[in-house]
Amino acid sequence: MPKLFDIKFPGGCKSLPDGFWSAVDVWIKKPHVVNKRLCGVKETDSKDADQDDLRLLLHDPELFTDVLLFMISGASPAHEPDKPWSSSVRTFIPKVNCYGTNLHKEIILKDFGRHRVTFIPFEEDAEGKVSLRKGNIYQIQLCNQDCEEWSLELCALSVDSWFSDGVAYPKLPWLSSDLLPKLVRWATECRSSEFRNTLSLLPVEKYSLMYQQLKDKYKAMVKVWPEVTDPEKFVYEDVAIATYLLVLWAEERAEKGLTARQSFVDLGCGNGLLVHILTNEGHPGRGIDVRRRKIWDMYGPQTLLEEKAITPSESFLFPGTDWLIGNHSDELTPWIPVIAARSSYSCRYFVLPCCFFDFCGKYQRRQCKKSQYKEYIDFIAEVSQVCGFNTDEDCLRIPSTKRVCLLGKSRNYQLSDEPEVEQQRAHYIHSRCTAPGVTVQRSDVSNDEDCCNGNGSCNGTPGSSWGAGFQPRDRVETVRNCAALPRDVVDGVVLRVANALLGMTVGDGEGSCHDWNQGGVTTTNHQPPTSSVTPTLRMSSFSTFMNLLCGLPLFLLPGQLRVHYPSSAHQDKYHPESSLSVSEVAGLLGQETLRLLKKECGGLQTLLRNNHQVFRVEGGRVYIRDWRERKPFRADAKRKPVAPGALKTRLCWFHAQHPQGCPLQAENCAFAHGADDLRPSTRPLKKIKNDAF
C-alpha cells in the first residue's frame, strides 16, 4: 500500500481520534467546501458491511483480494478481519454538469477500529450499468506513532493508473496539499456550527440544476445594472434566493399534489429582481417597497412592483397570498410571521433576516453566550413559534455572511384554535414593545452591501394598531456618505488634516534627498515657499505646530497663513510615511464638526476616503497620498482605474494647495493644473438595454 503523503498533528491535540471522524464526515458530506467544482453530494444511509458484502460490491475476485489487503494492511490483533465496516454510498453533484446522464459515485468504508476510511469510486450510466474506477481507490488513515504523536496518512491502491478530471476525481497532489491540511485543521478545532448545513431542506441535485439554468438566463443583468450597488453580488444573490424558493415550492406542490403555482408578495422588495425572476418563472406575485428604484423601469409590465409604505396593521393583510417573502426586510422582519399568521391560516412565509430589529425599534441583546446573529435568528424563530408556525431553519448559498433563513410552512395548531393563538400573539407583541429598556427609534439603515442588500423595508406611519411604537424609515432615503455635507465643512477638514500631516516633517532634524512633501502649512492659493511671508511662523517641532494649528479657525481663508521655512536644508526633508491615527485626526476638529460627521456612515473615515486624491487611509491611519508611488496600496486594491473620459475633469488639490505644488508634471497628472487645464467630462453614460431582461 503506497503511502503518498503524511502530515503531523500539533502536539498536545486532545480532540483525537473523535476529531478525525468529525473531519472525515465534513469531507464525506460536504466536499464542496474544499472542492469548489462541486455543488454537493447525495449520501445513502450507512449500514454494516463485511467481507462478503465487499466481494458482492466489487464483482471481481482479483480486485476483491487487492482491495481487502489494502483495507486491512497493518491490522492490529485487537481488530478481527471479519469485523464489519460502516458502509455508505455518495453521489457527486457537480456545479456544472459535465457527465451527461452518468452518475459518479463512491463507496465509503469506515473502519473505526483502525481509524481509516477507504473510498472506492465507480460510475453508473442511465441503464444502471456500473464500472469501477480501480485506479482511483484511496484511503485516509489516522496513525498514532506513540502515545502522544498523531499523524494523517494518504494512501492509494495504484498511483500509476490514477485518473483526474478535477471534479469527481481530484488530483493526487491536491489531495495531499489541500485536503489533508484541512482535515488536520478540522480535526484539531473540532467545532460545531451554530446553524444547520446549507440547503438542508432541499434536494441538492435539483437546486444545482435550477441554479445553473437561472444563472445563465439572468447573468446579462450584471452588465446593465443601473443601481450604485455591486451587480455581481446582488444579481447572483437574488438568483440563488430565487432558485431556493422555486425548488422549495416545486417540492411543496409535489408533496401536496398541487398543480397551480404558488402566489407570493415580497415585502421590502428593494431592487425587485427577486420578484422579476419569480414572476418570469411562472409564479404570480408582486413586490412592495417604500422607495422606487431606477431598475424597476427595466423589468417591463409583467413584473408588478408597488411604491407603497406598509405599516403592520389590519390594513395590510394578504389573505389570498400563499407565501410572504422578507428578503433583508429590515424593521419589517419580526412582523412578517405575524402578518402571514393573521393573513390566513394557509399563508406561509420565508424570511432572510439581516439587520437586527424588534417590533418597535432596534433589537436589544439579552444573551452574551451567543453571537448577536445567532441570538437574533433565535428571536425570529421564537416569534414564528408564538405565531403558531412549525418553523424550519436553513442556510442559503449566497455571497453574504447573513444567509440563514427561516420558513413557516405549516401551523402547529388547528384552525378552530385561532382565537386562542391570536390572543397569544397579541400578548407577546405587547410584552416586547413595553419591556423595560426597550427604546423606540427610527430605523436609519445604510446601504451596506453585506448588511441590508439595498432593500429598504416597506413601512408607513407610526401609530399602527399592532405596535404603537413602530417607527418607519423616511420615504426619501437619507444620503449619509458625507457627500451631502456643506462644501466649506469638507474643505476645512481636508485643509486642517493636511496641515497637520505636512507639519509633522518640519524641523525634524533629518536629511533626505527628496524635494517634495517636506512639510509646511497649506494655503488656499499656492505660491512657492519664500523666506519672507507675512505673517511669518517658525516651527521647530510637531508639538509646537499642533499647538498652533489647534488654535486656528477651522476654515482658512486665502492669504491668512503662510509658513516660513527655516532654511533650504529643511526644504529637502520628506517623510512619505508620516501619519496620524483617526483618533488623532478627530482631536484636531471642533465639536460641531465632529457632531456633523457622527451622523454620517463611517464618519470621519468616510470623509477622508472620499478625498482619495489627497489622503490614503489604511490600517486606521491617515497619510498624505504620494502620486509618484506606482505600487498600489492594499486599501486601493479594489479601486477601479480612472476612466479616460474622467481625466482632467477636476482641479488638482496638490497643485492648488500643497506648499511645493503637485509632484507630477501637468501632462502626467490625472487632475487639472489650473482652470485652463480643465476638460469637460466625456465619460459615456451607461447604456441600458431592456432586451437583456
Side-chain angles (χ1 to χ4, degrees):
M1 179 176 67
K3 181 177 72 173
L4 301 177
F5 188 77
D6 66 339
I7 182 172
K8 292 183 179 180
F9 282 87
C13 183
K14 300 185 182 301
S15 60
L16 301 172
D18 293 340
F20 165 73
W21 290 111
S22 298
V24 166
D25 281 342
V26 175
W27 170 237
I28 292 174
K29 301 177 184 299
K30 298 187 290 185
H32 54 274
V33 299
V34 282
N35 187 348
K36 300 304 180 182
R37 296 183 181 181
L38 293 176
C39 184
V41 293
K42 185 177 181 180
E43 187 185 12
T44 63
D45 294 333
S46 60
K47 60 181 181 180
D48 292 340
D50 55 19
Q51 294 187 21
D52 292 335
D53 295 320
L54 182 61
R55 184 181 291 107
L56 291 174
L57 287 171
L58 299 179
H59 301 292
D60 186 340
E62 183 178 349
L63 179 62
F64 165 73
T65 302
D66 293 340
V67 173
L68 182 62
L69 292 175
F70 179 65
M71 294 176 61
I72 65 174
S73 61
S76 61
H79 188 284
E80 297 297 330
D82 59 348
K83 187 173 182 179
W85 300 283
S86 175
S87 172
S88 63
V89 177
R90 66 173 177 175
T91 304
F92 292 106
I93 303 172
K95 281 187 176 179
V96 179
N97 185 10
C98 52
Y99 298 132
T101 58
N102 287 357
L103 298 178
H104 287 63
K105 303 183 178 184
E106 275 185 343
I107 301 170
I108 302 169
L109 296 169
K110 295 180 180 178
D111 191 335
F112 293 103
R114 300 185 183 90
H115 303 308
R116 61 179 66 170
V117 56
T118 305
F119 299 85
I120 304 176
F122 66 95
E123 299 174 12
E124 182 179 331
D125 61 18
E127 299 176 354
K129 184 179 179 181
V130 173
S131 58
L132 288 170
R133 277 282 182 181
K134 303 176 184 179
N136 285 65
I137 298 175
Y138 69 99
Q139 183 181 98
I140 299 173
Q141 180 177 1
L142 177 66
C143 301
N144 187 8
Q145 299 176 357
D146 51 47
C147 297
E148 297 181 356
E149 189 172 321
W150 295 86
S151 64
L152 204 60
E153 292 185 356
L154 173 67
C155 306
L157 180 63
S158 177
V159 177
D160 296 336
S161 57
W162 186 274
F163 168 78
S164 172
D165 63 2
V167 185
Y169 305 113
K171 297 179 180 180
L172 280 174
W174 181 89
L175 290 174
S176 303
S177 61
D178 287 66
L179 177 60
L180 252 61
K182 284 185 170 60
L183 290 175
V184 169
R185 179 166 61 86
W186 296 337
T188 303
E189 295 174 350
C190 204
R191 294 183 303 181
S192 58
S193 174
E194 291 182 307
F195 305 106
R196 299 187 62 171
N197 294 336
T198 58
L199 309 180
S200 60
L201 302 179
L202 300 182
V204 180
E205 63 275 16
K206 293 183 180 180
Y207 175 90
S208 177
L209 182 61
M210 175 71 72
Y211 179 76
Q212 288 302 322
Q213 292 174 350
L214 295 183
K215 185 178 179 181
D216 292 340
K217 187 174 182 179
Y218 297 100
K219 64 183 180 182
M221 302 175 73
V222 173
K223 300 179 180 179
V224 294
W225 191 255
E227 305 292 338
V228 296
T229 50
D230 180 13
E232 292 280 349
K233 174 184 175 354
F234 289 99
V235 170
Y236 294 128
E237 180 170 326
D238 282 353
V239 165
I241 296 172
T243 302
Y244 187 92
L245 289 171
L246 290 172
V247 175
L248 177 74
W249 292 345
E251 293 295 299
E252 183 184 59
R253 292 196 302 273
E255 179 183 342
K256 297 182 178 181
L258 303 175
T259 55
R261 294 179 182 263
Q262 295 90 333
S263 60
F264 70 92
V265 175
D266 187 352
L267 303 179
C269 63
N271 57 52
L273 179 55
L274 179 60
V275 178
H276 177 68
I277 296 174
L278 295 176
T279 301
N280 272 6
E281 299 306 314
H283 287 269
R286 58 193 171 114
I288 308 174
D289 199 280
V290 70
R291 231 172 7 251
R292 186 180 186 84
R293 305 299 200 273
K294 291 182 290 185
I295 197 173
W296 286 14
D297 297 327
M298 301 172 63
Y299 293 135
Q302 76 281 359
T303 302
L304 303 179
L305 299 170
E306 301 177 24
E307 184 181 9
K308 181 190 297 184
I310 290 183
T311 297
S313 65
E314 296 293 334
S315 302
F316 292 97
L317 295 177
F318 307 93
T321 301
D322 295 321
W323 282 80
L324 297 186
I325 298 172
N327 175 20
H328 298 288
S329 47
D330 299 338
E331 59 266 41
L332 267 185
T333 297
W335 287 103
I336 286 178
V338 180
I339 297 173
R342 290 175 171 173
S343 291
S344 70
Y345 184 75
S346 61
C347 187
R348 288 89 75 192
Y349 79 86
F350 166 93
V351 65
L352 183 62
C354 181
C355 300
F356 306 139
F357 284 93
D358 208 323
F359 291 108
C360 301
K362 289 293 183 73
Y363 178 78
Q364 304 295 323
R365 293 201 65 180
R366 302 183 181 186
Q367 303 179 44
C368 60
K369 294 184 178 180
K370 297 180 181 178
S371 67
Q372 185 179 15
Y373 184 47
K374 172 61 175 174
E375 182 182 345
Y376 189 69
I377 293 294
D378 290 346
F379 162 62
I380 301 300
E382 180 183 282
V383 173
S384 177
Q385 184 72 20
V386 171
C387 288
F389 286 99
N390 293 313
T391 309
D392 292 313
E393 178 185 306
D394 205 353
C395 192
L396 305 183
R397 289 188 185 172
I398 57 177
S400 172
T401 56
K402 309 290 179 60
R403 52 199 185 104
V404 177
C405 67
L406 295 170
L407 303 95
K409 299 190 292 182
S410 61
R411 305 296 174 94
N412 56 19
Y413 64 93
Q414 299 298 320
L415 180 59
S416 57
D417 299 328
E418 181 66 39
E420 179 182 346
V421 177
E422 175 54 36
Q423 288 185 354
Q424 177 180 303
R425 294 184 198 120
H427 179 268
Y428 180 79
I429 295 171
H430 179 74
S431 66
R432 296 290 305 188
C433 291
T434 59
V438 173
T439 56
V440 177
Q441 52 184 310
R442 180 176 296 273
S443 68
D444 197 7
V445 185
S446 68
N447 278 338
D448 188 295
E449 291 190 358
D450 196 40
C451 178
C452 297
N453 204 18
N455 294 352
S457 64
C458 310
N459 301 312
T461 59
S464 164
S465 59
W466 290 0
F470 181 80
Q471 293 290 324
R473 69 175 57 189
D474 295 328
R475 181 181 293 272
V476 178
E477 184 178 14
T478 303
V479 177
R480 298 198 303 137
N481 61 356
C482 296
L485 287 175
R487 190 68 249 175
D488 58 343
V489 173
V490 176
D491 292 343
V493 172
V494 171
L495 281 172
R496 175 156 285 187
V497 177
N499 287 339
L501 289 169
L502 293 173
M504 293 179 69
T505 60
V506 174
D508 58 8
E510 298 177 7
S512 174
C513 62
H514 295 280
D515 59 354
W516 184 81
N517 209 23
Q518 81 241 14
V521 177
T522 65
T523 64
T524 52
N525 292 323
H526 169 64
Q527 295 178 4
T530 64
S531 58
S532 57
V533 181
T534 304
T536 300
L537 301 175
R538 293 182 181 271
M539 290 170 285
S540 59
S541 68
F542 175 63
S543 59
T544 305
F545 174 79
M546 292 296 293
N547 290 334
L548 169 67
L549 183 63
C550 292
L552 295 175
L554 177 60
F555 310 120
L556 299 178
L557 298 177
Q560 280 189 320
L561 180 64
R562 297 288 179 188
V563 173
H564 174 77
Y565 293 86
S567 68
S568 59
H570 283 171
Q571 295 188 32
D572 292 333
K573 295 180 176 62
Y574 171 47
H575 259 201
E577 290 304 309
S578 295
S579 66
L580 292 170
S581 67
V582 176
S583 60
E584 290 172 335
V585 171
L588 301 174
L589 308 178
Q591 291 301 315
E592 181 64 21
T593 303
L594 292 175
R595 187 184 64 81
L596 289 174
L597 292 176
K598 191 174 182 179
K599 296 179 180 179
E600 304 296 310
C601 292
L604 178 58
Q605 281 205 61
T606 297
L607 186 147
L608 296 173
R609 291 182 189 276
N610 287 353
N611 286 273
H612 165 262
Q613 182 190 163
V614 184
F615 302 114
R616 174 170 62 90
V617 183
E618 185 174 349
R621 301 197 67 83
V622 185
Y623 306 80
I624 287 286
R625 185 173 294 278
D626 185 358
W627 285 96
R628 298 172 300 179
E629 186 68 53
R630 295 182 178 273
K631 182 179 179 181
F633 293 96
R634 179 166 53 91
D636 304 326
K638 295 183 179 180
R639 187 177 295 274
K640 295 181 179 179
V642 179
L647 295 176
K648 303 289 186 180
T649 58
R650 288 190 296 164
L651 290 173
C652 176
W653 184 92
F654 291 96
H655 176 77
Q657 308 286 4
H658 195 280
Q660 282 76 48
C662 181
L664 302 178
Q665 296 296 324
E667 59 270 19
N668 297 326
C669 183
F671 303 93
H673 285 202
D676 295 339
D677 199 23
L678 275 173
R679 305 175 188 173
S681 177
T682 58
R683 295 182 63 181
L685 296 176
K686 184 179 290 186
K687 188 177 180 181
I688 298 177
K689 299 180 180 179
N690 290 313
D691 57 356
F693 294 85

